[in-house]
């Protein structure tokens, strides 16, 4: 909780450095009892960080969250909802590197290394484009390209034979 102080400003991050949501950034506003309240948003995009490991467990749902998320009446997203995208590296020996293709052409943001046989998940939105690359270098070969749809949960698998084509 933050107590109001006249003329003060409050600042917080709502994302971890790797782009995952930070639940500690969840916030709400109380009603004004006397006087008035002014508010303004200033959105800041952090630059991509060269090597940032994922926050362990941040985007992984616990059993109750998974049941609630998967138990929604529709498999399709409603306005404003995010999809859970699961990325799987099916290869037994080689890592794959997940990049987010942002809204600026040619600017791929490295997100996480997916170890052989491992998976990672990200909250994302319909239309977002994700790339799996052969190396952490954004100029390395693209192994696969995935576009998020309006399905509530999506699983994208990099098949072992695709990874062997390098």
């Amino acid at each position: 909780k933050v107590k109001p102080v006249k003329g003060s400003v409050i600042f917080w991050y709502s994302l971890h450095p790797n782009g995952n949501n930070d639940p500690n950034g969840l916030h709400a506003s109380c009603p004004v009892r006397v006087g008035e309240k002014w508010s303004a948003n200033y959105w800041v995009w952090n630059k991509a960080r060269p090597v940032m490991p994922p926050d362990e467990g941040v985007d992984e749902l616990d059993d109750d969250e998974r049941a609630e998320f998967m138990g929604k009446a529709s498999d399709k997203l409603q306005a404003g909802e995010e999809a859970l995208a699961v990325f799987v590296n099916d290869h037994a020996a080689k890592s794959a590197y997940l990049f987010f293709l942002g809204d600026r052409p040619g600017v791929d943001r490295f997100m996480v290394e997916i170890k052989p046989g491992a998976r990672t998940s990200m909250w994302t939105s319909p239309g977002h484009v994700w790339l799996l690359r052969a190396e952490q270098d954004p100029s390395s070969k693209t192994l696969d390209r995935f576009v998020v749809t309006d399905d509530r949960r999506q699983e994208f698998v990099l098949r072992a034979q695709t990874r062997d084509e390098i």
Side-chain angles (χ1 to χ4, degrees):
K1 279 188 162 180
V2 177
K3 297 210 183 250
V5 176
K6 187 175 183 174
S8 65
V9 172
I10 185 169
F11 174 86
W12 68 90
Y13 287 97
S14 59
L15 299 175
H16 290 286
N18 67 1
N20 292 339
N21 288 326
D22 182 350
N24 291 318
L26 191 62
H27 61 282
S29 176
C30 295
V32 175
R33 292 186 185 153
V34 176
E36 58 185 16
K37 174 180 15 182
W38 288 39
S39 159
N41 291 334
Y42 183 74
W43 297 92
V44 178
W45 276 107
N46 291 335
K47 290 183 180 178
R49 310 259 162 87
V51 181
M52 282 299 205
D55 298 317
E56 290 298 320
V58 168
D59 280 346
E60 299 303 323
L61 301 176
D62 65 29
D63 291 340
D64 291 338
E65 291 171 322
R66 185 175 293 104
E68 178 185 348
F69 182 75
M70 297 310 287
K72 298 263 184 176
S74 169
D75 289 336
K76 298 293 181 187
L77 297 171
Q78 303 303 310
E81 287 186 318
E82 291 185 311
L84 180 65
V86 179
F87 301 91
V88 180
N89 180 3
D90 193 24
H91 199 277
K94 297 178 183 175
S95 288
Y97 299 86
L98 182 64
F99 285 78
F100 175 69
L101 185 59
D103 54 359
R104 291 188 301 161
V107 180
D108 302 356
R109 292 176 42 201
F110 170 70
M111 300 304 283
V112 66
E113 174 186 3
I114 307 174
K115 303 250 186 224
R119 64 181 50 228
T120 192
S121 60
M122 297 280 178
W123 290 104
T124 186
S125 297
H128 282 176
V129 178
W130 295 87
L131 305 173
L132 281 174
R133 294 192 177 278
E135 298 173 18
Q136 188 174 329
D137 180 351
S139 65
S140 67
K141 180 177 179 173
T142 299
L143 303 173
D144 217 333
R145 180 180 191 271
F146 306 109
V147 180
V148 177
T149 68
D150 64 349
D151 290 328
R152 188 169 299 287
R153 183 182 189 282
Q154 298 165 58
E155 186 166 291
F156 302 109
V157 180
L158 177 65
R159 300 284 174 212
Q161 60 273 17
T162 306
R163 183 71 173 96
D164 287 335
E165 293 172 1
I166 300 174

